[in-house]
Structure formats: C-alpha cells, structure tokens
Amino acid sequence: QVRLVESGGGLVQPGGSLRLSCAASGSIFSISTMGWYRQAPGTERELVATVTSGSTINYGDSAQGRFTLSLENFPNRVYLQMNSLKAEDTAVYYCKAELSDLGFLDGDYWGQGTQVTVSS
C-alpha cells in the first residue's frame, strides 16, 4: 500500500509564506514524478509544480516566480515553498506521485489534501 501524507497548510495573511511537505511511503519501487496540484471551490484541479526522477521541475503559471519546489530527500519527500501569497492562492493543495509499486504496477497516487487559506 502506498501513502502520501501532506502537511504545512494553514491560514496566512496576504504576502506571507508557507511551506508544504509531502512524504511518500509504503510499497514503492520507484517514483517517476512527484508534485503538487491545487483546487479552489468551483474550479478544476490545476498544476502547481512537479518534479521528475531526473530532477526536471515544471511550474504551473500561478506558481512562476513565487513558489519553489524543494528536492530535499527526494524522491520520497518534496517541499513546496510558497512566498508572496495572494488571496487567489486559497485552495486545497494535493500531493501527487506517479510511481511503480513493488509489484511493478504503475499508478497515480494522491494525498488527502491540505487547506491553504490566504486572508487578512
């Protein structure tokens, strides 16, 4: 069984910062891609940032210049440093991993989500 556990969400004022963490554990053989998506009420889930096993990072438009994906302890853990937060960054942030499990089956796994609220 594979688990993705997110942490670090919360309430922050506009202009503030938060650091999200995602840890992958369980029956994992290899991780090909890991990263973050977000979903605000009434909208579709959108890309924030992902990293491949070759350390190629891809940022969504909303994250460019403000968010940084950190590869400490990659591939089993990634961090998302979010700076200069705006009200429109308010959403549930989900960690996603594309991986092969110990049975060599490929699949996409999602965490339970962590709420980020940017408000004064």
Side-chain angles (χ1 to χ4, degrees):
Q1 189 171 2
V2 174
R3 291 186 66 205
L4 298 180
V5 179
E6 303 117 330
S7 62
L11 173 65
V12 64
Q13 293 186 343
S17 298
L18 282 175
R19 191 188 195 207
L20 305 183
S21 171
C22 175
S25 63
S27 306
I28 299 170
F29 175 72
S30 66
I31 297 175
S32 59
T33 304
M34 194 163 173
W36 295 91
Y37 291 74
R38 71 184 187 184
Q39 188 168 20
T43 69
E44 294 188 354
R45 196 168 293 188
E46 65 173 1
L47 167 71
V48 178
T50 59
V51 57
T52 68
S53 58
S55 300
T56 298
I57 297 176
N58 180 39
Y59 289 103
D61 291 342
S62 62
Q64 293 283 355
R66 298 187 298 126
F67 296 178
T68 302
L69 196 63
S70 172
L71 306 185
E72 300 167 50
N73 301 312
F74 182 73
N76 291 86
R77 185 182 289 269
V78 291
Y79 300 90
L80 182 68
Q81 178 67 41
M82 304 188 294
N83 298 327
S84 303
L85 284 162
K86 307 173 184 179
E88 50 264 43
D89 294 317
T90 296
V92 178
Y93 284 69
Y94 296 92
C95 181
K96 178 187 176 183
E98 300 171 17
L99 57 85
S100 298
D101 63 17
L102 294 180
F104 305 108
L105 293 176
D106 295 338
D108 293 348
Y109 293 84
W110 293 89
Q112 80 284 359
T114 185
Q115 176 70 46
V116 171
T117 302
V118 185
S119 175
S120 55

